[in-house]
Amino acid sequence: MRRQYPFHLIEPRWQQHWEAQETFRAFNPGEPPAAEHPFAVRHGDAAPESLEKYYILDMFPYPSGAGLHVGHPEGYTATDITARYLRMQGRHVLHPMGWDAFGLPAEQYAIKTGQHPRKTTEENVANFKRQIKGLGFSYDWSREVNTTDPNYFRWSQWIFLQLYHSWVNPATGKAESIDTLEFPADITTDEARREYRDDHRLAFVSHAPVNWCPELGTVLANEEVIDGKSEVGGHPVVRRPMRQWMLRITAFAQRLLDDLETIDWSDSLKEMQRNWIGRSEGAEVDFRIQESENSIRVFTTRPDTLWGATYMVLSPEHEWVDELATDAQRAAVEEYREAASRKSDLERTELAKEKTGVFTGAFAINPVNDEPVPIWIADYVLASYGTGAIMAVPAHDARDLEFAQKFELPVRVVVQAPEGESLEPLGFVGDGTSVESGFLNGLPTTEAKAKIIEWLEEKRHGKRTINFKLRDWLFSRQRYWGEPFPIVWRDGHHEAVAESDLPVMPPELDDYKPTTEGDPPLARAADWVTLPDGTTRETNTMPQWAGSCWYYLRFLDSQNTERFVNKAAERYWMGTSWPEIPPDLETWKVKLDDLVAFAFSKRANTRKRLVFGKIDTAQADRLEQVSGLSLAGCLHVLDNYAIRHINKCHGSSDVEKTKGQEAITSKDYQWLPLLISQPDNVEYLGKNKQGLDVIRFSLQINGTLMVLEEVRASSNLLAVKTMYKKKGTASDTAIGAPLFTSENDCLKAMSHIKWPAVKSPALGVDLYVGGTEHAVLHLLYARFWHKVLFDLGHVSTAEPFQRLVNQGIILGEDGQKMSKSRGNVVNPDGVIDEYGADAFRLYEMFMGPLEMMKPWNTKGVEGVYRFLGRVWRLFIDEGSYKDYEQAVTAAPDQAEALLADLKLHPALNDAEPTPDQLKALHACIKKVTDDLDGMRYNTGISALMVFVNEASKWESRPREVLGIFLRLLNPFAPHLAEELAGRLGEVSGNTLAYQPWPEWDDAFLVEDSIEFPVQVNGKLRGHIDITPETSREEIERLALACEKVQQFISEKEVKKVIVVPNRLVNIAVK
RNA sequence: GCGCGAGUGGCGGAAUUGGUAGACGCGCCGGAUUUAGGUUCCGGUCUCGCAAGGGGUGGAGGUUCGAGUCCUCUCUCGCGUACCA
């Protein structure tokens, strides 16, 4: 097929140019670029670290043997377009790429063929790199990392040692050195001290039952087991006790949950993490065992239903089952336990349809009414969650009900459903009103919970408790191709390898299978395992997730041999300096206006926040008085999401009137600094659904009470949640008296507010793009490691990834997910050969919104390819291209050299652009800029197409206009844009990469005459010709006079005429 | 079951705080260039209707001068999770 343009020559040429020029290198603090580098050409003498940075990251791939598939470049293209766009906008962009190269496939290939996994990995990396480079991404390859490189995994091992040498201090909730751990008085011997320490480390050894996958010959983390099968390969997984390394991620559960509030991830992704962490609030309640001194502790989220607890269930593995079973029931209990222990998780799940269980013969005493309740065992109660025992309330829990019905146990209704919600009280699990519940009768569920917990605590029958689903992270694998642990064993105890002895290299082996005794493959290397000093090495390796937990940090300084990352580089790229608190009230007001405008603009799906205050010591004391929270130094922030929320809930006067409130207007935000610095009243509202503390500030201004509610979004952040106004005064719980009686007083007070000189919380990676498949694995693990490193002072942000965007999956042409077995896999190499990298990139983005799932369609590639051909013909004389093609047929080896003979299109000239031309150009600049800000690549491309369709008709094509167009095209199709820009004239720095991004001027977009739509009763009936100056009255007159409209309104009564400026006019008739 | 998200032409998808539904591309139809095919260029393409006009964003209601967009109910699909008390 004839090529639309010689992309096969242009693309490699520009890729070589960028590589030779190091066009896309990012510069660490103190390492300025050479004077001739295009970065220096653009920014002059400015130190790179003085520029605003942008760290844009892709999820680095596992280089599989199959090579790149079309899903990989989807995210990579999106980030590349944004990276190139922001570079042109003047940001200092860091955009790196590397390889997550440890993994099972290379090891399995090694077992089969004997080829060292390193060799397989190197081959695959080389292939991936070739494919990725062929797409012309603007990566800084000097920062490339590979997790299997000893210079990389040495630092993975080092971070493991940081975990090993740390514990979480319950007083601060933060990780600190294990040396700060104090021993209880009864721990006196060295042996006991060591044990106590080892029990507190963040990396610790456990002998608990683990997920063992016989097929893979390794254990797996909870996150890697799906429906009782391995996530990789779908092999069965069984529970089996083994000695394993664990990481204490559970100590960070609450912080991992809280800090989700501070980052810009999609709601669905945050929700997945929340579900995985699985926080639930409730109470532990002790049930005394009948005729015994002992009691059994249960966990429940519904202590208010205690009167409805008619039996109790223990998990079969519960430690007291043996003791409880009566002689009559012993045989049945034993049998049930035996059967349960034989079941794999898979079987337990699959057989879950039908409830099973056995009565132990024993009874417990319900503490609220002293009634005996039978104790059962059943495998629907899990040993690993809560206390491994429950109180069963069949009337208000679906599972308990099912069980009770099967075994004919009593059901007692103790919660009345709200009227209309459920006619059937049996099985009602929602909130209602307590009945038949002693002193709780008549209380709504929330209050009943609080009251019963108070009672339980007072009578010492139980206490308030919070439980998490999250389990500690099983961190060892029985594999060869992973990071060896920097741990040795001496006399049955583990010890850390000295930092100076890192990296611990894996031994060379001939056989990569596990040993016949079931030990990991590393155990085969007897010489390696046994050390001269009599210690033996740990033979497990780390899981694949280890390397990906911190690679984004290594990119900042990938060649450093002294530290895992240079401190200054980390501080600069992870960002600590934006945004600042406005220095004064005036600036604050300007920034506020910006933020409000932003909240209602098209770009509003990006989070933008404004810091408007900091809690000083006096304030902190006052807050501590009401809430018990220590909030000194906390910053107040307002973001665009909050503004939208407030507008939605409290911005409409209709809604507010009914509640005796007034609508919040954008002007009201200006009171925020005063509200937080000099409130009449501060209240602590307790924790919200997500377990976050809510604080209410209120202030009376001229008879109206303004109320602000904030949540503590992280340890140092109070985020505005909502805000409303109402008539009246502050409630009785107020601290202090109202300070202001008039608005003037308030304004006066505002002028005295002092703005603290602080910077807002750090950012981390500015934009991270990747698939959803890592929602609870990589992304949770990485956040966990990052928090440990943060606590220990090694990094400066509490969160690694400020903004995260998930790309949608690309389906096959048949609408099914792409897979080898379906035979619908699209190979990028083939597409690039036929249409070129620019067309491939463009199509990947043109398919639809980045985050959406969408099917591939090769015909669609032809569409964008034709578009690039039209761009080419906009600039290049068609005759000369035909001549070129003929010449190449005669002398194929001259193809490259002959390119020099191509001529520019004769319509290109230095004429003054016409108003129409400027309008087309500036409309394009505006649309593309807006769309790139909002990551709407598909509509951005369509704007480029609209411009080209228009410009193709021009008989005179001013260089100036087309040159600016090429800058807009550059992020999307950089090879073609660079080529044409080079032919159009000299480009400073010899690349478009650092040319300033064009700005649009609204003056060019104004139309002289407008065809203004006229509706009658909301239906389009005609148009009138107006100008931007036409008055409302004139528009109304023209609309009513319009001929087409007349036939719809004559003989009818015109009730109302609505003129919507810049939109339309609507005539309402009866 | 629970949680989250999405339903718009033959297809992928566009539609500012509610304001001309279907941008852009694919496909299809017609025309021009070409010996022909391919390429390129021009025109058409939600639907019923000759037209005037009517209908139309999964379905049913509602709010509004005006609803793809907001509210209530409902159906379908996708993703996540699953005995987590």
Side-chain angles (χ1 to χ4, degrees):
Chain A
M1 198 173 78
R2 179 176 178 259
R3 284 194 190 87
Q4 295 261 354
Y5 68 102
F7 61 81
H8 62 302
L9 301 174
I10 291 173
E11 290 178 352
R13 195 159 85 181
W14 280 96
Q15 285 161 19
Q16 284 153 23
H17 174 78
W18 296 326
E19 186 154 344
Q21 191 186 33
E22 294 191 300
T23 311
F24 304 113
R25 246 195 83 179
F27 301 93
N28 276 2
E31 295 171 4
E36 67 276 10
H37 190 278
F39 183 97
V41 173
R42 164 89 186 257
H43 297 292
D45 291 338
E49 63 269 28
S50 69
L51 293 171
E52 202 179 330
K53 64 92 188 185
Y54 198 86
Y55 185 2
I56 181 165
L57 183 69
D58 291 301
M59 288 187 186
F60 67 162
Y62 171 73
S64 73
L68 217 59
H69 58 78
V70 293
H72 285 116
E74 188 194 13
Y76 302 163
T77 305
T79 51
D80 192 60
I81 291 171
T82 295
R84 286 175 180 270
Y85 164 64
L86 291 172
R87 217 177 266 120
M88 293 174 81
Q89 286 276 26
R91 300 284 285 267
H92 187 193
V93 173
L94 174 59
H95 187 36
M97 180 45 81
W99 318 105
D100 186 16
F102 276 127
L104 199 54
E107 178 156 340
Q108 283 177 327
Y109 191 72
I111 292 172
K112 221 163 64 190
T113 64
Q115 170 161 301
H116 197 288
R118 181 170 300 285
K119 185 149 189 296
T120 313
T121 301
E122 277 167 8
E123 288 167 4
N124 291 349
V125 164
N127 187 42
F128 259 68
K129 196 166 172 180
R130 173 190 64 78
Q131 290 188 295
I132 287 178
K133 284 200 159 184
L135 283 158
F137 296 133
S138 63
Y139 292 124
D140 178 355
W141 285 105
S142 73
R143 293 168 184 262
E144 178 180 359
V145 300
N146 181 330
T147 54
T148 65
D149 181 343
N151 288 325
Y152 183 94
F153 70 67
R154 141 181 208 181
W155 298 107
S156 305
Q157 292 171 337
W158 178 84
I159 296 173
F160 176 84
L161 289 182
Q162 302 305 305
L163 287 147
Y164 181 82
H165 291 306
S166 306
W167 69 299
V168 167
N169 185 341
T172 59
K174 292 190 170 175
E176 40 187 81
S177 164
I178 194 78
D179 298 335
T180 66
L181 177 65
E182 285 175 20
F183 300 104
D186 59 334
I187 290 187
T188 48
T189 66
D190 283 354
E191 179 65 27
R193 279 168 179 244
R194 170 161 45 212
E195 207 172 293
Y196 188 79
R197 273 196 165 193
D198 289 350
D199 280 348
H200 283 80
R201 295 179 190 275
L202 290 184
F204 63 101
V205 171
S206 149
H207 295 269
V210 294
N211 304 305
W212 168 254
C213 179
E215 204 75 23
L216 295 175
T218 185
V219 298
L220 299 170
N222 286 328
E223 289 81 356
E224 292 170 303
V225 181
I226 293 169
D227 289 340
K229 291 183 212 147
S230 64
E231 192 200 18
V232 178
H235 305 296
V237 171
V238 295
R239 304 284 295 176
R240 167 173 154 184
M242 286 174 79
R243 175 184 73 70
Q244 297 295 338
W245 283 95
M246 309 281 286
L247 298 186
R248 208 178 297 281
I249 190 172
T250 50
F252 291 80
Q254 188 65 53
R255 279 167 71 193
L256 288 168
L257 192 63
D258 289 350
D259 288 359
L260 284 173
E261 293 297 314
T262 70
I263 51 184
D264 290 340
W265 296 14
S266 69
D267 286 337
S268 65
L269 198 73
K270 283 188 186 180
E271 198 59 26
M272 276 189 231
Q273 292 226 340
R274 282 192 201 109
N275 288 341
W276 194 262
I277 294 166
R279 180 185 198 270
S280 55
E281 259 179 49
E284 285 181 357
V285 185
D286 291 330
F287 280 61
R288 194 167 54 76
I289 299 164
Q290 200 171 37
E291 290 159 15
S292 158
E293 291 301 299
N294 295 327
S295 55
I296 291 177
R297 177 164 286 194
V298 302
F299 174 70
T300 177
T301 54
R302 292 298 298 271
D304 59 303
T305 62
L306 255 168
W307 275 267
T310 52
Y311 63 101
M312 181 186 246
V313 189
L314 310 187
S315 73
E317 297 87 358
H318 197 281
E319 50 176 341
W320 287 355
V321 171
D322 268 342
E323 206 174 311
L324 287 173
T326 57
D327 291 342
Q329 293 297 107
R330 188 169 304 279
V333 168
E334 286 297 325
E335 192 188 335
Y336 186 80
R337 273 187 95 169
E338 177 64 18
S341 73
R342 274 200 312 270
K343 283 184 198 172
S344 67
D345 272 15
L346 175 62
E347 288 168 312
R348 247 164 118 149
T349 317
E350 275 187 348
L351 299 173
K353 282 153 198 135
E354 182 86 356
K355 291 270 183 297
T356 59
V358 174
F359 178 42
T360 60
F363 288 82
I365 305 298
N366 188 334
V368 291
N369 55 15
D370 292 332
E371 284 179 19
V373 295
I375 303 174
W376 287 64
I377 62 171
D379 65 4
Y380 83 90
V381 174
L382 306 177
S384 51
Y385 183 77
T387 60
I390 61 159
M391 62 178 215
V393 185
H396 306 291
D397 182 285
R399 296 149 304 176
D400 294 345
L401 181 62
E402 199 188 321
F403 191 83
Q405 284 173 337
K406 176 158 178 190
F407 293 102
E408 296 178 346
L409 291 156
V411 179
R412 191 182 297 165
V413 173
V414 292
V415 179
Q416 175 123 42
E419 235 174 287
E421 191 158 314
S422 169
L423 296 172
E424 180 57 69
L426 212 58
F428 171 72
V429 297
D431 284 5
T433 310
S434 288
V435 291
E436 307 286 327
S437 295
F439 57 86
L440 298 185
N441 282 345
L443 290 179
T445 298
T446 324
E447 286 172 36
K449 279 184 186 171
K451 189 155 184 187
I452 186 71
I453 289 172
E454 203 176 297
W455 183 86
L456 287 168
E457 287 182 345
E458 189 188 307
K459 301 274 178 189
R460 298 181 179 277
H461 288 314
K463 59 171 197 226
R464 175 186 302 279
T465 314
I466 292 160
N467 254 306
F468 293 93
K469 278 201 272 184
L470 186 70
R471 306 294 146 74
D472 280 325
W473 177 10
L474 175 64
F475 195 66
S476 44
R477 298 292 181 276
Q478 292 70 48
R479 293 207 188 136
Y480 174 77
W481 195 225
E483 300 88 346
F485 280 86
I487 292 287
V488 293
W489 292 79
R490 187 195 302 274
D491 307 328
H493 304 298
H494 46 79
E495 286 176 11
V497 169
E499 276 183 27
S500 54
D501 289 339
L502 301 182
V504 176
M505 297 290 290
E508 294 301 318
L509 293 181
D510 305 322
D511 186 351
Y512 301 96
K513 281 198 287 290
T515 68
T516 43
E517 295 80 42
D519 284 328
L522 293 190
R524 286 179 181 276
D527 292 351
W528 179 84
V529 172
T530 313
L531 292 165
D533 63 358
T535 60
T536 57
R537 287 193 190 276
E538 170 66 51
T539 55
N540 281 299
T541 54
M542 298 187 202
Q544 192 186 353
W545 311 106
S548 59
C549 267
W550 72 284
Y551 75 109
Y552 57 92
L553 292 169
R554 189 62 179 170
F555 276 139
L556 307 178
D557 192 19
S558 67
Q559 306 306 314
N560 197 330
T561 51
E562 304 300 316
R563 281 181 55 82
F564 79 115
V565 58
N566 170 280
K567 209 142 191 155
E570 189 276 328
R571 238 183 267 135
Y572 174 63
W573 289 114
M574 293 301 277
T576 53
S577 60
W578 180 93
E580 294 176 37
I581 293 189
D584 52 55
L585 264 177
E586 288 315 304
T587 319
W588 144 258
K589 283 180 182 172
V590 171
K591 295 214 168 201
L592 175 70
D593 287 344
D594 281 355
L595 184 68
V596 172
F598 181 84
F600 297 109
S601 76
K602 239 182 159 182
R603 307 181 189 184
N605 57 353
T606 313
R607 183 187 296 240
K608 200 167 172 179
R609 18 170 104 97
L610 181 56
V611 182
F612 61 94
K614 183 186 179 183
I615 295 176
D616 60 22
T617 327
Q619 268 260 315
D621 287 349
R622 187 176 182 185
L623 283 167
E624 188 154 8
Q625 217 178 320
V626 289
S627 69
L629 301 170
S630 109
L631 295 168
C634 245
L635 301 175
H636 295 271
V637 298
L638 171 71
D639 69 22
N640 52 310
Y641 294 138
I643 294 176
R644 281 194 93 122
H645 173 82
I646 291 165
N647 188 60
K648 204 173 162 186
C649 300
H650 305 287
S652 145
S653 50
D654 307 344
V655 181
E656 298 306 308
K657 256 181 219 158
T658 59
K659 290 190 248 163
Q661 298 178 8
E662 284 176 49
I664 290 278
T665 67
S666 54
K667 212 184 120 205
D668 290 322
Y669 295 108
Q670 301 206 347
W671 298 114
L672 281 177
L674 193 63
L675 248 167
I676 54 146
S677 59
Q678 302 185 39
D680 295 339
N681 183 26
V682 181
E683 288 170 274
Y684 175 61
L685 303 185
K687 287 182 189 296
N688 68 4
K689 263 187 249 162
Q690 276 125 42
L692 301 176
D693 296 301
V694 183
I695 291 163
R696 177 189 284 166
F697 296 80
S698 44
L699 175 66
Q700 201 185 326
I701 301 170
N702 216 9
T704 300
L705 192 68
M706 182 156 299
V707 185
L708 167 74
E709 288 178 18
E710 292 186 307
V711 295
R712 186 188 197 166
S714 73
S715 53
N716 61 347
L717 214 64
L718 278 177
V720 172
K721 198 83 189 171
T722 195
M723 193 169 145
Y724 55 91
K725 284 197 286 196
K726 61 180 184 187
K727 290 276 174 224
T729 53
S731 65
D732 298 338
T733 53
I735 296 174
L739 287 165
F740 306 107
T741 49
S742 76
E743 204 157 307
N744 273 345
D745 278 0
C746 293
L747 292 168
K748 223 168 162 185
M750 286 191 73
S751 63
H752 290 107
I753 291 175
K754 289 207 182 65
W755 292 83
V758 291
K759 297 186 170 187
S760 82
L763 292 168
V765 173
D766 297 77
L767 179 63
Y768 193 21
V769 175
T772 340
E773 66 272 21
H774 295 117
V776 286
L777 290 158
H778 161 60
L779 288 172
L780 196 63
Y781 296 153
R783 292 181 63 215
F784 162 48
W785 277 35
H786 197 86
K787 287 192 183 313
V788 175
L789 292 171
F790 175 63
D791 289 352
L792 298 178
H794 296 304
V795 299
S796 43
T797 67
E799 282 288 329
F801 314 119
Q802 179 58 39
R803 180 160 179 227
L804 186 133
V805 173
N806 282 125
Q807 74 209 46
I809 329 173
I810 296 181
L811 304 173
E813 301 228 26
D814 50 1
Q816 311 269 326
K817 292 187 184 168
M818 275 195 201
S819 73
K820 234 188 235 170
S821 57
R822 284 204 182 78
N824 61 354
V825 177
V826 177
N827 182 353
D829 281 346
V831 180
I832 292 165
D833 280 350
E834 199 165 345
Y835 304 102
D838 280 338
F840 183 81
R841 292 167 57 111
L842 221 48
Y843 178 64
E844 288 258 357
M845 295 297 99
F846 191 61
M847 276 190 284
L850 178 62
E851 297 179 73
M852 206 184 260
M853 176 192 288
K854 55 233 154 196
W856 182 269
N857 176 8
T858 300
K859 280 280 181 195
V861 188
E862 286 179 28
V864 292
Y865 178 55
R866 274 201 282 271
F867 160 70
L868 292 176
R870 283 204 299 281
V871 173
W872 173 259
R873 290 188 292 277
L874 203 56
F875 289 84
I876 302 294
D877 177 42
E878 266 196 272
S880 80
Y881 186 49
K882 280 190 182 131
D883 294 346
Y884 164 80
E885 285 184 308
Q886 287 195 353
V888 169
T889 317
D893 54 326
Q894 294 296 306
E896 178 115 38
L898 287 166
L899 279 178
D901 296 340
L902 288 169
K903 291 191 180 66
L904 285 177
H905 198 283
L908 281 166
N909 57 35
D910 293 317
E912 275 293 304
T914 66
D916 278 351
Q917 289 175 333
L918 286 173
K919 198 177 128 196
L921 177 69
H922 283 253
C924 187
I925 299 174
K926 184 177 158 82
K927 176 79 176 141
V928 172
T929 307
D930 266 0
D931 285 345
L932 283 179
D933 283 335
M935 293 178 76
R936 290 180 298 270
Y937 307 101
N938 55 331
T939 50
I941 292 168
S942 95
L944 294 171
M945 287 173 166
V946 169
F947 175 85
V948 169
N949 289 345
E950 175 81 23
S952 300
K953 295 176 200 153
W954 296 346
E955 288 182 6
S956 159
R957 299 175 188 166
R959 254 168 224 273
E960 184 193 330
V961 171
L962 293 196
I964 289 174
F965 164 75
L966 288 177
R967 295 190 191 183
L968 300 178
L969 180 68
N970 183 54
F972 299 90
H975 307 90
L976 180 60
E978 291 263 33
E979 176 72 20
L980 294 175
R983 287 174 180 273
L984 206 59
E986 200 171 311
V987 179
S988 65
N990 295 316
T991 176
L992 284 177
Y994 294 87
Q995 300 307 308
W997 185 257
E999 285 177 21
W1000 77 89
D1001 184 342
D1002 284 323
F1004 293 123
L1005 300 177
V1006 178
E1007 316 236 4
D1008 307 336
S1009 74
I1010 304 162
E1011 257 203 347
F1012 203 67
V1014 184
Q1015 292 185 339
V1016 178
N1017 281 348
K1019 292 210 167 92
L1020 184 68
R1021 294 305 182 190
H1023 289 95
I1024 52 174
D1025 287 329
I1026 62 163
T1027 70
E1029 286 78 36
T1030 312
S1031 68
R1032 267 186 123 89
E1033 294 72 27
E1034 181 66 5
I1035 290 174
E1036 236 176 78
R1037 196 188 61 76
L1038 286 168
L1040 289 167
C1042 173
E1043 201 180 313
K1044 284 205 165 171
V1045 171
Q1046 269 297 322
Q1047 56 179 304
F1048 291 95
I1049 59 171
S1050 60
E1051 298 176 18
K1052 286 182 182 148
E1053 182 197 343
V1054 175
K1055 285 198 329 201
K1056 209 197 262 186
V1057 180
I1058 296 115
V1059 178
V1060 187
N1062 301 320
R1063 287 280 165 205
L1064 47 70
V1065 50
N1066 189 22
I1067 302 165
V1069 297
K1070 202 167 185 178

